[in-house]
Amino acid sequence: MDLKLTPEGQPVWLEVNPQGQFLFLEPLTGMPLTEHFADFLLAAADGPQGTEN
């Protein structure tokens, strides 16, 4: 998923990549990168940049 913030701090959706460039690393490293990325997005949504619908 590609997002960009406007100068006002609003996120703008650009596109969704079905398989990001990092997913091949999960089986190679054994690290749950998708889980970490999802946690980051959820934390960011709750933080000062998050918006409610």
Side-chain angles (χ1 to χ4, degrees):
M1 182 170 20
D2 294 326
L3 301 171
K4 183 173 182 165
L5 292 178
T6 66
E8 294 79 28
Q10 293 295 318
V12 176
W13 173 70
L14 300 175
E15 66 176 319
V16 173
N17 300 315
Q19 180 161 331
Q21 295 296 321
F22 64 91
L23 290 181
F24 74 96
L25 292 171
E26 281 189 321
L28 293 176
T29 64
M31 296 184 70
L33 298 175
T34 304
E35 180 181 341
H36 292 306
F37 185 59
D39 290 343
F40 168 79
L41 291 174
L42 290 170
D46 288 337
Q49 295 294 328
T51 60
E52 289 191 32
N53 294 328

